[in-house]
Amino acid sequence: MSGCNGAKDNSHNKARTSPYPGSKVERSQVPNEKVGWVVEWQDYNPVEYTAVSVLAGPRWADPQISESNFSPKFNEKDGHVERKSQNGLYEIENGRPRNPAGRTGLVGRGLLGRWGPNHAADPIITRWKRDSSGNKITHPVSGKCILQFVAIKRKDCGEWAIPGGMVDPGEKISATLKREFGEEALNSLQKSSAEKREIEEQLHKLFSQEHLV
């Protein structure tokens, strides 16, 4: 990811992937040396795209920026919606927030619901690989202990990822971690009521352990 002061090779790469995930929309091409906003590019002409599912107005999505009754407070807490970015202050251009990491070849929200930062929480669950006696297993080449972690395979792109998802307005991040881990790693949404109760008990036990940070 590039900062606002310039771009490194292959910077901001995921955010320049074409076509846009879940669509056939091709971004305008942004070379590495022109990702950073400090680099002048008068001919920059990004593609406008917001997914139909977002434009339909689900509860988790903002209205269009042009709607008269919508006046988001950028770079601050906006009611229950947190519009502060972990990357610091971001600029507003023509009423729209600019991506603090640089140009992406696309404007609009794509599949994201919020104008400005869309906060997500990803629980990283690890353990040392052990044998049946509880002893740590070492790697045959490096001789180091093997650290295991929980990952999921994404349905949209087929890539491996840490389970996680968006933080709901007013929701504690700890609650997001617990909910998203249940939905993505344990497939809780597809379980029966009895199975969901059992999963909830397991999650409570997991997320209440003292060593969990």
Side-chain angles (χ1 to χ4, degrees):
M1 180 178 292
S2 73
C4 59
N5 294 324
K8 298 180 180 179
D9 289 345
N10 299 320
S11 62
H12 211 30
N13 222 21
K14 287 276 189 179
R16 291 184 287 156
T17 302
S18 279
Y20 184 91
S23 76
K24 297 181 180 179
V25 176
E26 296 286 342
R27 302 173 186 267
S28 62
Q29 295 298 307
V30 180
N32 290 340
E33 65 272 13
K34 291 186 177 180
V35 170
W37 292 113
V38 295
V39 179
E40 289 192 23
W41 189 7
Q42 295 183 354
D43 296 331
Y44 179 52
N45 186 29
V47 175
E48 174 86 33
Y49 175 63
T50 299
V52 173
S53 58
V54 176
L55 293 175
R59 63 174 184 80
W60 45 265
D62 287 333
Q64 280 292 78
I65 205 81
S66 58
E67 292 192 16
S68 58
N69 61 344
F70 180 56
S71 301
K73 299 177 181 178
F74 294 121
N75 285 305
E76 60 180 287
K77 189 70 175 288
D78 185 11
H80 291 299
V81 178
E82 181 58 80
R83 298 194 193 274
K84 291 181 181 179
S85 171
Q86 299 291 341
N87 288 343
L89 295 177
Y90 50 89
E91 297 182 6
I92 310 300
E93 182 178 30
N94 299 322
R96 295 186 177 194
R98 287 204 312 191
N99 190 321
R103 298 181 176 97
T104 65
L106 184 143
V107 294
R109 287 174 286 168
L111 287 168
L112 299 175
R114 302 292 175 194
W115 292 101
N118 286 256
H119 295 284
D122 302 333
I124 301 176
I125 309 297
T126 65
R127 71 179 182 184
W128 294 113
K129 186 175 183 180
R130 299 175 185 272
D131 59 23
S132 57
S133 300
N135 300 311
K136 292 180 181 179
I137 297 176
T138 57
H139 192 275
V141 176
S142 68
K144 295 182 178 180
C145 296
I146 299 173
L147 186 68
Q148 299 177 313
F149 67 95
V150 176
I152 61 166
K153 193 169 187 179
R154 295 177 59 100
K155 293 181 179 179
D156 55 354
C157 62
E159 293 185 355
W160 289 96
I162 300 296
M166 295 299 176
V167 181
D168 290 339
E171 183 178 43
K172 291 183 178 181
I173 292 178
S174 57
T176 306
L177 295 173
K178 185 176 178 181
R179 170 171 53 80
E180 291 294 338
F181 188 81
E183 292 177 2
E184 296 203 349
L186 302 178
N187 200 27
S188 61
L189 295 179
Q190 305 300 321
K191 304 297 184 180
S192 66
S193 297
E195 289 173 324
K196 287 180 179 179
R197 286 193 296 271
E198 183 179 351
I199 287 175
E200 181 64 29
E201 292 176 1
Q202 293 173 342
L203 288 174
H204 178 74
K205 182 179 180 180
L206 173 64
F207 283 86
S208 62
Q209 295 182 54
E210 291 183 358
H211 65 271
L212 193 73
V213 179

